[in-house]
Amino acid sequence: MEVQCRGKIILNSNPLYCRLQVFFVFLRKIVPEKPACSHFLYKNSVDTKYIFVTGGVVSSLGKGIISSSLACLLKARGYRVTIQKFDPYINIDPGTLNPYEHGECYVTEDGHEADLDLGHYERFTNVRTSRANNVTTGRIYQSVIDKERRGDYLGKTVQIVPHITDEIKRNVKLLGNTGKYDFVITEIGGTVGDIESLPFLESVRQLRWELGQNSLCIHLTYVPYIRAAKELKTKPTQHSVKNLQELGIQPDILVLRTEKDIPADMRRKIALFCNVAPDSVIQSIDVNSIYKVPLKMHEQHLDEIVLRKTGVTPEGEPHMAPWLDFVAKLDSATEPVDIALVGKYVELQDAYKSISESLFHAATYAGRKLNLVYVHSEKLAPENVAEKLAGMDGVIIAPGFGQRGIEGKFTALRWCRENDIPTFGICLGMQCMVIEFARNVLGLEDANSTEMDTKTPHNVIDLMEEQKSISNLGGTMRLGAYDCTLREGSRAAQAYGTTHISERHRHRFEFNNDYRERFEQAGMACVGENPATKLVEVVEIPGKRWFIGTQYHPEYSSTVLSPNPIFRSFIDAAIAYRDERLAKK
């Protein structure tokens, strides 16, 4: 017989059976069928915990590194963790920003152009990010305005509070509401006191009250060392915390960025003046590698403090053996590998952040110390190319857009090809490989990309067909992860250990397949292509030591624990070339 018991359909009319069914329904609500991890025991809450990371005094203190380090430690304890970045600028995303403005534009697998901190998040956690992990003021306002235009607010006056702050809060909790994560770490861009950050901080204030013990705030601040006085100064930190308190947010944990060790009595003083528990004042002293920061944070029990303050009992130690192995390799490496990176933004280290980190990962696993030499492509010419690149073990031709510095890349590629130097071209770097080969091997002197010369008679690189009708540039490139089939036996396939891969893209122009047969016959093989579109993804010259170009960006998928295979292959080739030269001396 079918009866209804407290809203549940029970196929039995026995009162005892009904009560048992209600009990089991209640149990399923309070206890997950599969605990998130061994540390989430039934006695503990399984609600998603939200951690907010704010910064004060100055920018570039390393909120992203601290957020990534904490996520790394929590993940090593078995928890499911994700990190998101809220940027206060009005751009919809950083896709249209000049690298001089914002550094590298990072691309997620789902095709979102994101802040470079998402690269740190992935490199530290081995967890892929998405569009939901990076939100800007522009996206928040765009969403609210779209809702207002649709009439969603029923004619009400749309205001910062509650409409903008509600939209921010909705985005903060978006990842937590999926049920996939135990901890959501939210980094608030900018510094306390910035006008642009105020709506985000107000949203954090509201969420702290709404979430209670399921949230906490970590405030990163600066303790400067005044060299003339030979003293560390705590006043900037005190003022920064005071500003945060004036906005209604009391930090639970302070992380003090410093060049010098902060004495225990000074940390107690900061705790006293900032209303923070003494054991929750942690220093982040400069180290020679960002990958040592998680270890430094664990030494001061940051992960344990976070767990206790969010109502979770810390148990055991995080499983950091693979990370410690990487750091041990980093510290033991003494023999260098010299790599030149040829690009037009070389004076700005963040413009090629993912590439430099991917090279570092690969070199470390190869037991070598990376010596990365930046070479400005705009200043490279046939007269000085040998001087700039001779002695390098390998050369990277960087991605980018536009005409500036392009001829210097052609010059570098010709010298590397003719001198058989291990060479790696990425995106525009790969396209430059194709153009240089067309000019100097195929004899097509006017060969070019239609990005640089719309009237070139030999458009060996051309605008993708689906891009020709697009005038609005924001977020309209070929973005995100796409499949690629590699030719059996090619050096690229050997590097990956498979013929089927998926890598991330960010481009509008492509190899022109009308010229494919001529390139193949002349010795440049098109060894990788998209199986659906036949778009050429990888070119290589098999007769060279290592000469490969990829239309995609393999640097986006390289992490500390999973370095990208093609970067490892490139570094191995560079080391072999170095050893070969040294053996001849």
Side-chain angles (χ1 to χ4, degrees), residues 47-219:
D47 292 337
T48 300
K49 314 293 183 180
Y50 293 87
I51 300 167
F52 301 100
V53 180
T54 59
V57 185
V58 293
S59 58
S60 300
L61 287 180
K63 293 192 300 294
I65 300 299
I66 293 298
S67 300
S68 301
S69 297
L70 176 58
C72 174
L73 292 169
L74 292 173
K75 187 168 183 286
R77 285 180 172 274
Y79 296 104
R80 303 170 302 171
V81 188
T82 190
I83 321 176
Q84 55 188 352
K85 173 77 178 288
F86 281 64
D87 273 308
Y89 50 75
I90 298 176
N91 303 67
I92 300 299
D93 58 51
T96 56
L97 284 174
N98 189 309
Y100 289 113
E101 290 283 324
H102 204 67
E104 171 189 75
C105 177
Y106 190 78
V107 177
T108 60
E109 284 191 338
D110 64 347
H112 177 61
E113 293 173 294
D115 181 81
L116 62 83
D117 274 321
L118 267 70
H120 290 310
Y121 302 165
E122 290 199 14
R123 286 189 283 272
F124 276 67
T125 64
N126 245 16
V127 175
R128 298 305 182 216
T129 55
S130 70
R131 178 181 178 85
N133 293 86
N134 189 205
V135 180
T136 68
T137 291
R139 263 181 66 190
I140 295 294
Y141 275 81
Q142 184 182 54
S143 177
V144 170
I145 290 168
D146 287 346
K147 289 178 181 178
E148 186 273 334
R149 292 290 84 188
R150 289 197 305 265
D152 291 7
Y153 299 120
L154 303 176
K156 291 182 180 178
T157 302
V158 179
Q159 299 174 291
I160 302 294
V161 181
H163 302 101
I164 295 296
T165 53
D166 281 352
E167 183 65 16
I168 292 170
K169 290 192 294 182
R170 185 185 71 81
N171 277 272
V172 167
K173 294 194 285 187
L174 206 58
L175 289 166
N177 289 340
T178 63
K180 295 179 180 179
Y181 303 106
D182 304 314
F183 288 89
V184 176
I185 300 172
T186 303
E187 177 191 347
I188 307 296
T191 60
V192 174
D194 294 345
I195 293 174
E196 296 93 338
S197 299
L198 289 175
F200 291 104
L201 293 171
E202 168 58 21
S203 302
V204 171
R205 183 195 69 78
Q206 294 179 23
L207 283 167
R208 292 298 313 282
W209 283 103
E210 292 172 18
L211 296 168
Q213 194 180 26
N214 286 332
S215 72
L216 63 79
C217 176
I218 298 174
H219 189 55

Side-chain angles (χ1 to χ4, degrees), residues 325-343:
D325 181 57
F326 176 81
V327 171
K329 285 183 168 66
L330 185 161
D331 285 336
S332 63
T334 54
E335 183 73 18
V337 56
D338 300 324
I339 304 296
L341 189 151
V342 179

Side-chain angles (χ1 to χ4, degrees), residues 329-550:
K329 285 183 168 66
L330 185 161
D331 285 336
S332 63
T334 54
E335 183 73 18
V337 56
D338 300 324
I339 304 296
L341 189 151
V342 179
K344 65 178 179 179
Y345 301 116
V346 294
E347 64 271 42
L348 183 69
Q349 63 175 2
D350 281 349
Y352 305 113
K353 192 64 178 173
S354 290
I355 293 176
S356 63
E357 294 304 313
S358 299
L359 289 167
F360 182 77
H361 300 157
T364 300
Y365 277 102
R368 296 297 178 107
K369 195 178 186 68
L370 177 68
N371 176 31
L372 187 57
V373 178
Y374 292 94
V375 179
H376 204 304
S377 60
E378 206 172 8
K379 299 176 182 178
L380 209 54
E383 307 83 60
N384 66 4
V385 64
E387 175 193 344
K388 298 284 187 183
L389 300 181
M392 292 292 110
D393 303 320
V395 176
I396 291 262
I397 307 299
F401 297 92
Q403 175 68 38
R404 186 169 68 87
I406 201 77
E407 292 298 328
K409 291 183 178 181
F410 296 147
T411 298
L413 282 163
R414 180 171 188 174
W415 189 87
C416 290
R417 179 178 54 79
E418 292 178 346
N419 289 277
D420 201 4
I421 312 297
T423 307
F424 189 7
I426 299 175
C427 198
L428 179 61
M430 171 267 201
Q431 295 174 3
C432 288
M433 279 183 164
V434 170
I435 297 166
E436 187 280 324
F437 193 88
R439 289 180 180 182
N440 299 310
V441 178
L442 298 183
L444 308 176
E445 295 181 3
D446 296 325
N448 213 331
S449 165
T450 50
E451 179 185 7
M452 315 305 169
D453 180 4
T454 56
K455 297 180 179 178
T456 176
H458 297 293
N459 55 335
V460 292
I461 301 295
D462 201 4
L463 186 65
M464 298 177 70
E465 196 60 39
E466 61 266 31
Q467 294 286 323
K468 292 181 178 178
S469 61
I470 291 174
S471 57
N472 186 355
L473 300 183
T476 57
M477 287 183 282
R478 189 170 191 253
L479 293 163
Y482 288 88
D483 291 335
C484 174
T485 302
L486 299 173
R487 185 180 299 175
E488 190 80 47
S490 65
R491 188 165 277 125
Q494 290 169 7
Y496 281 99
T498 180
T499 56
H500 299 284
I501 63 169
S502 177
E503 294 279 15
R504 303 179 214 184
H505 295 67
R506 186 176 184 249
H507 65 101
R508 282 194 175 85
F509 294 80
E510 65 174 322
F511 181 94
N512 187 341
N513 274 324
D514 291 344
Y515 290 86
R516 184 167 180 168
E517 187 176 344
R518 294 173 71 174
F519 275 89
E520 293 273 4
Q521 290 175 350
M524 178 173 275
C526 301
V527 300
E529 67 173 26
N530 179 275
T533 63
K534 305 305 178 185
L535 169 68
V536 173
E537 304 273 19
V538 186
V539 297
E540 65 179 51
I541 302 180
K544 299 298 179 183
R545 283 188 177 89
W546 204 99
F547 200 90
I548 297 178
T550 64

Side-chain angles (χ1 to χ4, degrees), residues 234-281:
T234 66
K235 277 293 187 288
T237 291
Q238 293 177 47
H239 284 296
S240 176
V241 173
K242 181 181 178 182
N243 286 342
L244 194 61
Q245 290 169 334
E246 287 174 351
L247 296 172
I249 302 171
Q250 170 60 47
D252 301 278
I253 300 169
L254 292 180
V255 177
L256 311 176
R257 182 67 190 274
T258 175
E259 299 171 33
K260 303 280 186 178
D261 182 68
I262 302 173
D265 60 340
M266 185 173 284
R267 276 181 274 166
R268 284 194 293 271
K269 172 187 173 183
I270 291 171
L272 177 65
F273 280 97
C274 296
N275 295 342
V276 175
D279 68 349
S280 298
V281 178

